[in-house]
Amino acid sequence: MTRKHGLSRNLTNYGDPDFALYLRRSFARSMGYSTDMLRRPVIGIATAGSGFNNCHRTTPELVEAVKRGVLAAGGLPLDFPTISLGEVFLNPTSLLFRNLMAMDVEEMIRAQPMDGVVLIGGCDKTLPAQIMGALSADVPAVYLPVGPMLTGRWRGERLGACTDCRRFWAQYRAGTVSNDEIAEIEGNLAVTAGTCAVMGTASTMACIAETLGLTLPGAAAIPAVHADRLRMAEASGKAAVRLAAEEVRPSRIVTASAVENAIRVLLAVSGSTNAVIHLTAIAGRAGIAVTHDDLNRLSEETPVLVNLKPVGSHYMEDFFAGGGVGALLAELAPLLNLDVMTVAGETLRDRLATPVRADRAVIRSRDEPFQKVGGLVAVKGTLAPNGAIVKRGAATESLLEHEGRAVVFESLADLSARIDDPDLDVTPADVLVLKNAGPIACGMPEAGYLPIPAKLARAGIKDMVRISDARMSGTAFGTVILHVSPEAAIGGPLAHVRSGDRIRFSTRERRLDLLVAPEELALRARSFRPAIPPARGYARLHHASVVQAELGCDFDFLTAAPHRRFGSAG
Ligand code: FES
């Protein structure tokens, strides 16, 4: 059977395919296209622009540039909107909607007649959602990140969303920044279109997308407002036409070897903890299992080479000027699988044959790494039988081995009600514990970066061990243990912790233990009551279907059964 192309793909089902095509052509002609144009291969452009998404403000001009590339290569570009997830505009939290967006992207790619697709996005959850959807639809696809913001200035200091947002907010809480000053700072933190200016979740995921081979070389780091970003958009449109002709699908690009490379890059940039969840979910769509053991093994072998906030001192615009992902991949080359294919139509080995100059202040050599081991590790133990994640690269060294008394908050509401209570019984050596902020409880908000209690912050305390089943913004820092699984809402051991219990945390041993006798925990478990599911709608679907953090928080009915592991062919 000959494969259908262009507008004749995916015909509307009237029981008469010829009628469906005739009707479709007729309606397409109503948009003013010539019949010549309508015979071309169709390249969809999935857009996620929205008045509620500042990061995607450049989407209209990127769409125009992609269209230019598609037309120049002989295709017909047709853009279409999908859900947009503006990180700071969503209640209760953007992750709750990532899978909804992934479903939207997948179904619209599959339902509409397109031979290839360019996906434009980048704000935190949009990139993983779009890639998850594209992988499941498995139509030839090129990813185009919108690119990072430029930094702002305040009193001579460079500011970038959002590590500096948090730094100054902590100072404001501690009383060292005034009301007037915080208002001035607020106006200078995010000064251009684009995604957050540091190695937060958006930048980490853009680097991962480029490493996976789903973007053209160099696409991750070009600033959103740089002219190169538009040239990248034009080239992405051209590439999509070629991929469509060659029928190179995302499932051929996202192999187990490519995922392993992506984990290496995640570790080498000391990237966001959120990226562990997203990469696990992306790999899951391709039938590839990513485990905490894989993460820990690769973390021991992969140095941190990139000196960017929140772990280091530079910003994404410096990473771009310093050589970007190309320079980083060249430095990591001996650790990478070089025969992986990319949407550029070349292997990683081919790509790295062209040398890229690295600015060593931003991208270090492997001989002089920024940190000797990877920025992220997984821990496990009686408090987290299925694991938890720590960004050791952003933690206080002296707290990486710690035992302390638990100070427990039962929920986000309890946290905000009591954290600044002057009578809160808390010392700097205690361990702050937040329950019921996991994926099933409330969509896993970025609440794991618990604020230092006000009375300790005013006394100069900047970090404490904090534990939760929540996530943390990729732009945050501190000794924060996240993604504890199973989460409290389904009766994981976290549900049974009480204030005054002792907790032991050892990064060296990869352990997180609740020092309470098993008999006592069994007794406490008897009074556990699971949360009542939401009554209706998407929240109900999410509650019933989301899997735990170590599996990527995808829906159980969307993830492919894992069948490929690292080291296997592909
Ligand atoms: Fe969009 Fe940070 S708010 S990437």
Side-chain angles (χ1 to χ4, degrees), residues 44-97:
I45 306 172
T47 66
S50 159
F52 291 96
N53 193 334
N54 58 294
C55 300
H56 292 185
R57 181 156 60 81
T58 52
T59 297
E61 62 176 353
L62 289 171
V63 170
E64 287 313 306
V66 172
K67 284 184 172 176
R68 203 160 64 222
V70 172
L71 288 168
L76 171 63
L78 296 177
D79 53 314
F80 63 99
T82 66
I83 295 170
S84 183
L85 303 178
E87 183 63 23
V88 298
F89 293 95
L90 289 161
N91 174 275
T93 180
S94 59
L95 183 63
L96 181 67
F97 305 106

Coordinates of all heavy atoms in Angstrom, one line a residue, residues 44-97:
G44 N 3.6 20.6 9.9 CA 2.9 21.3 11.0 C 3.9 22.1 11.9 O 5.1 21.7 12.0
I45 N 3.4 23.1 12.4 CA 4.2 23.9 13.4 C 3.4 24.0 14.6 O 2.4 24.7 14.7 CB 4.6 25.3 12.8 CG1 5.3 25.2 11.5 CG2 5.5 26.0 13.8 CD1 5.5 26.5 10.8
A46 N 3.8 23.2 15.7 CA 3.1 23.2 16.9 C 3.5 24.4 17.8 O 4.7 24.5 18.1 CB 3.3 21.9 17.7
T47 N 2.6 25.3 18.0 CA 3.0 26.5 18.8 C 2.3 26.5 20.1 O 1.2 26.0 20.4 CB 2.5 27.8 18.0 OG1 1.1 27.8 18.0 CG2 3.0 27.8 16.6
A48 N 3.0 27.2 21.1 CA 2.5 27.2 22.4 C 2.6 28.7 22.9 O 3.0 28.9 24.1 CB 3.3 26.3 23.3
G49 N 2.3 29.6 22.0 CA 2.3 31.0 22.5 C 1.1 31.3 23.3 O 0.0 30.7 23.0
S50 N 1.1 32.2 24.2 CA 0.0 32.5 25.1 C 0.2 33.8 25.8 O 1.4 34.1 26.2 CB -0.2 31.3 26.1 OG -1.0 31.7 27.2
G51 N -0.8 34.5 26.0 CA -0.7 35.7 26.9 C -0.3 35.4 28.3 O 0.0 36.2 29.1
F52 N -0.5 34.1 28.6 CA -0.1 33.7 30.0 C 1.3 33.0 30.0 O 1.6 32.2 30.9 CB -1.1 32.7 30.5 CG -2.5 33.3 30.8 CD1 -3.5 33.2 29.9 CD2 -2.7 34.0 32.0 CE1 -4.7 33.8 30.1 CE2 -3.9 34.6 32.2 CZ -4.9 34.5 31.3
N53 N 2.1 33.3 29.0 CA 3.4 32.6 28.9 C 4.4 33.6 28.4 O 4.7 33.7 27.2 CB 3.4 31.4 28.1 CG 4.6 30.5 28.3 OD1 5.7 31.1 28.6 ND2 4.5 29.2 28.0
N54 N 5.0 34.4 29.3 CA 6.0 35.4 29.0 C 7.2 34.8 28.2 O 7.8 35.4 27.3 CB 6.5 36.2 30.2 CG 7.1 35.2 31.2 OD1 6.4 34.3 31.8 ND2 8.4 35.3 31.5
C55 N 7.6 33.6 28.6 CA 8.8 33.0 28.0 C 8.6 32.7 26.5 O 9.6 32.7 25.8 CB 9.0 31.6 28.7 SG 9.3 31.8 30.5
H56 N 7.3 32.6 26.1 CA 7.1 32.2 24.6 C 6.7 33.4 23.8 O 6.1 33.3 22.8 CB 6.0 31.2 24.6 CG 6.4 29.8 25.1 ND1 5.6 28.7 25.0 CD2 7.5 29.4 25.7 CE1 6.2 27.7 25.5 NE2 7.4 28.1 26.0
R57 N 7.0 34.6 24.3 CA 6.6 35.9 23.7 C 7.0 36.0 22.2 O 6.4 36.6 21.4 CB 7.1 37.1 24.5 CG 6.7 38.4 24.0 CD 6.7 39.4 25.1 NE 7.9 39.6 25.8 CZ 8.9 40.4 25.3 NH1 8.8 41.0 24.1 NH2 10.0 40.6 26.0
T58 N 8.1 35.4 21.9 CA 8.7 35.5 20.5 C 8.1 34.4 19.5 O 8.5 34.4 18.4 CB 10.2 35.3 20.5 OG1 10.5 34.1 21.2 CG2 10.9 36.4 21.1
T59 N 7.1 33.7 20.0 CA 6.6 32.6 19.2 C 6.1 33.1 17.8 O 6.5 32.4 16.8 CB 5.4 31.9 19.9 OG1 5.9 31.3 21.1 CG2 4.8 30.8 19.0
P60 N 5.4 34.2 17.7 CA 5.0 34.6 16.3 C 6.1 34.8 15.3 O 6.0 34.3 14.2 CB 4.2 35.9 16.6 CG 3.8 35.8 18.0 CD 4.8 35.1 18.7
E61 N 7.2 35.4 15.7 CA 8.3 35.6 14.7 C 9.0 34.3 14.5 O 9.6 34.1 13.4 CB 9.2 36.8 15.1 CG 10.0 36.6 16.4 CD 10.9 37.8 16.7 OE1 11.1 38.6 15.8 OE2 11.5 37.8 17.8
L62 N 9.1 33.5 15.5 CA 9.7 32.2 15.2 C 8.9 31.4 14.2 O 9.4 30.7 13.3 CB 9.9 31.4 16.5 CG 10.9 31.9 17.5 CD1 10.8 31.2 18.9 CD2 12.3 31.8 16.9
V63 N 7.6 31.4 14.3 CA 6.7 30.7 13.4 C 7.0 31.2 12.0 O 7.1 30.4 11.0 CB 5.2 30.9 13.8 CG1 4.3 30.4 12.7 CG2 4.9 30.2 15.1
E64 N 7.1 32.5 11.8 CA 7.3 33.1 10.5 C 8.6 32.6 9.9 O 8.8 32.3 8.8 CB 7.3 34.6 10.6 CG 5.9 35.2 10.7 CD 4.9 34.6 9.8 OE1 5.1 34.6 8.6 OE2 3.9 34.1 10.3
A65 N 9.7 32.5 10.8 CA 11.0 32.1 10.3 C 11.0 30.6 10.0 O 11.6 30.2 9.0 CB 12.0 32.4 11.4
V66 N 10.2 29.8 10.8 CA 10.1 28.4 10.4 C 9.4 28.2 9.1 O 9.8 27.4 8.2 CB 9.4 27.6 11.5 CG1 9.1 26.2 11.1 CG2 10.1 27.6 12.8
K67 N 8.3 29.0 8.9 CA 7.6 28.9 7.6 C 8.5 29.2 6.5 O 8.4 28.5 5.4 CB 6.4 29.9 7.7 CG 5.3 29.4 8.5 CD 4.1 30.4 8.4 CE 2.9 29.9 9.1 NZ 1.7 30.8 9.1
R68 N 9.3 30.2 6.6 CA 10.3 30.6 5.6 C 11.1 29.4 5.2 O 11.3 29.1 4.0 CB 11.2 31.7 6.1 CG 11.8 32.6 5.1 CD 12.2 33.9 5.8 NE 13.2 33.8 6.8 CZ 13.2 34.5 8.0 NH1 12.2 35.3 8.3 NH2 14.1 34.3 8.8
G69 N 11.6 28.7 6.2 CA 12.5 27.5 5.9 C 11.7 26.4 5.2 O 12.2 25.8 4.3
V70 N 10.5 26.2 5.7 CA 9.7 25.1 5.1 C 9.4 25.4 3.7 O 9.5 24.6 2.8 CB 8.4 24.9 5.9 CG1 7.4 23.9 5.2 CG2 8.7 24.4 7.3
L71 N 9.0 26.6 3.4 CA 8.6 27.0 2.0 C 9.9 26.9 1.1 O 9.8 26.4 0.0 CB 8.1 28.5 2.0 CG 6.7 28.7 2.6 CD1 6.4 30.1 2.8 CD2 5.7 28.0 1.7
A72 N 11.0 27.4 1.6 CA 12.3 27.3 0.8 C 12.6 25.9 0.5 O 13.2 25.7 -0.6 CB 13.4 28.0 1.6
A73 N 12.3 25.0 1.4 CA 12.7 23.6 1.1 C 11.6 22.8 0.4 O 11.7 21.6 0.1 CB 12.9 22.9 2.4
G74 N 10.5 23.5 0.0 CA 9.5 22.8 -0.9 C 8.3 22.3 -0.1 O 7.5 21.5 -0.6
G75 N 8.1 22.7 1.2 CA 7.0 22.2 2.0 C 5.9 23.2 2.1 O 6.1 24.4 1.7
L76 N 4.8 22.8 2.7 CA 3.7 23.7 3.0 C 3.6 23.8 4.5 O 3.3 22.8 5.2 CB 2.4 23.2 2.4 CG 1.1 23.9 2.9 CD1 1.2 25.4 2.4 CD2 -0.1 23.2 2.4
P77 N 4.0 25.0 5.1 CA 3.9 25.1 6.6 C 2.5 25.4 7.1 O 1.9 26.4 6.6 CB 4.9 26.2 6.9 CG 4.8 27.1 5.6 CD 4.5 26.2 4.5
L78 N 2.0 24.7 8.0 CA 0.7 25.0 8.6 C 0.8 25.0 10.2 O 1.1 23.9 10.7 CB -0.4 24.0 8.2 CG -0.7 24.0 6.7 CD1 -1.7 22.8 6.4 CD2 -1.3 25.3 6.2
D79 N 0.7 26.1 10.8 CA 0.9 26.2 12.2 C -0.4 25.9 12.9 O -1.5 26.1 12.4 CB 1.4 27.6 12.7 CG 0.6 28.7 12.2 OD1 0.3 28.7 11.0 OD2 0.3 29.6 12.9
F80 N -0.3 25.3 14.1 CA -1.5 25.0 15.0 C -1.1 25.2 16.4 O 0.0 25.0 16.9 CB -2.0 23.6 14.7 CG -1.0 22.5 15.1 CD1 -1.1 21.8 16.2 CD2 0.0 22.2 14.2 CE1 -0.3 20.8 16.6 CE2 0.9 21.1 14.5 CZ 0.8 20.5 15.7
P81 N -2.1 25.7 17.2 CA -1.9 26.0 18.6 C -2.1 24.7 19.5 O -2.9 23.8 19.1 CB -3.0 27.0 19.0 CG -4.1 26.6 18.1 CD -3.5 26.1 16.8
T82 N -1.4 24.7 20.6 CA -1.7 23.7 21.6 C -1.7 24.4 22.9 O -1.4 25.6 23.0 CB -0.6 22.6 21.7 OG1 0.6 23.2 22.1 CG2 -0.3 21.9 20.4
I83 N -2.0 23.7 24.0 CA -1.9 24.2 25.3 C -0.6 24.8 25.5 O 0.4 24.3 25.0 CB -2.2 23.1 26.3 CG1 -3.5 22.5 26.2 CG2 -1.9 23.5 27.8 CD1 -3.7 21.2 27.0
S84 N -0.5 25.9 26.3 CA 0.8 26.5 26.7 C 0.9 26.4 28.2 O -0.2 26.6 28.9 CB 0.8 27.9 26.2 OG 2.1 28.5 26.5
L85 N 2.0 26.1 28.7 CA 2.2 26.1 30.2 C 3.2 27.1 30.7 O 4.4 26.9 30.6 CB 2.7 24.7 30.6 CG 1.8 23.5 30.2 CD1 2.5 22.2 30.6 CD2 0.4 23.6 30.7
G86 N 2.7 28.3 31.0 CA 3.5 29.4 31.6 C 3.7 29.1 33.0 O 2.8 29.1 33.8
E87 N 5.0 28.8 33.3 CA 5.4 28.2 34.6 C 4.7 28.9 35.8 O 4.2 28.3 36.7 CB 6.9 28.2 34.7 CG 7.4 27.6 36.0 CD 7.1 26.1 36.1 OE1 6.9 25.5 35.1 OE2 7.1 25.7 37.3
V88 N 4.8 30.3 35.8 CA 4.4 31.0 37.1 C 2.9 31.4 37.0 O 2.5 32.1 37.9 CB 5.3 32.2 37.3 CG1 6.7 31.8 37.5 CG2 5.2 33.2 36.2
F89 N 2.2 31.0 36.0 CA 0.8 31.5 35.8 C -0.2 30.3 36.1 O -1.3 30.5 35.9 CB 0.6 32.0 34.4 CG 1.3 33.3 34.2 CD1 2.6 33.3 33.5 CD2 0.8 34.5 34.6 CE1 3.3 34.5 33.3 CE2 1.5 35.7 34.4 CZ 2.7 35.7 33.7
L90 N 0.3 29.2 36.6 CA -0.5 28.0 36.7 C -0.8 27.6 38.1 O 0.2 27.5 38.9 CB 0.0 26.8 35.9 CG 0.0 27.0 34.4 CD1 1.0 26.1 33.7 CD2 -1.4 26.7 33.9
N91 N -2.0 27.3 38.4 CA -2.3 26.9 39.8 C -2.9 25.4 39.6 O -3.7 25.2 38.7 CB -3.4 27.8 40.4 CG -3.9 27.3 41.7 OD1 -4.8 26.5 41.7 ND2 -3.3 27.7 42.8
P92 N -2.6 24.5 40.5 CA -1.6 24.6 41.6 C -0.2 24.6 41.1 O 0.7 25.1 41.8 CB -2.0 23.5 42.5 CG -2.5 22.4 41.6 CD -3.2 23.2 40.5
T93 N 0.1 23.9 40.0 CA 1.5 23.8 39.6 C 1.5 23.2 38.2 O 0.6 22.5 37.7 CB 2.3 22.8 40.5 OG1 3.6 22.7 40.0 CG2 1.7 21.4 40.5
S94 N 2.5 23.7 37.4 CA 2.6 23.3 36.0 C 2.7 21.8 35.7 O 2.2 21.3 34.7 CB 3.7 24.1 35.3 OG 4.9 23.7 35.9
L95 N 3.4 21.1 36.6 CA 3.6 19.7 36.3 C 2.3 18.9 36.2 O 2.1 18.0 35.4 CB 4.5 19.0 37.3 CG 4.8 17.5 37.0 CD1 5.6 17.4 35.7 CD2 5.5 16.9 38.2
L96 N 1.3 19.4 36.9 CA 0.0 18.8 36.9 C -0.6 18.7 35.4 O -1.3 17.8 35.0 CB -1.0 19.6 37.7 CG -2.5 19.1 37.8 CD1 -2.5 17.7 38.6 CD2 -3.3 20.1 38.5
F97 N -0.2 19.7 34.6 CA -0.7 19.8 33.3 C 0.3 19.3 32.2 O -0.1 19.4 31.0 CB -1.1 21.3 33.0 CG -2.1 21.8 34.0 CD1 -1.7 22.7 35.0 CD2 -3.4 21.3 34.1 CE1 -2.5 23.1 36.0 CE2 -4.3 21.8 35.0 CZ -3.9 22.7 36.0

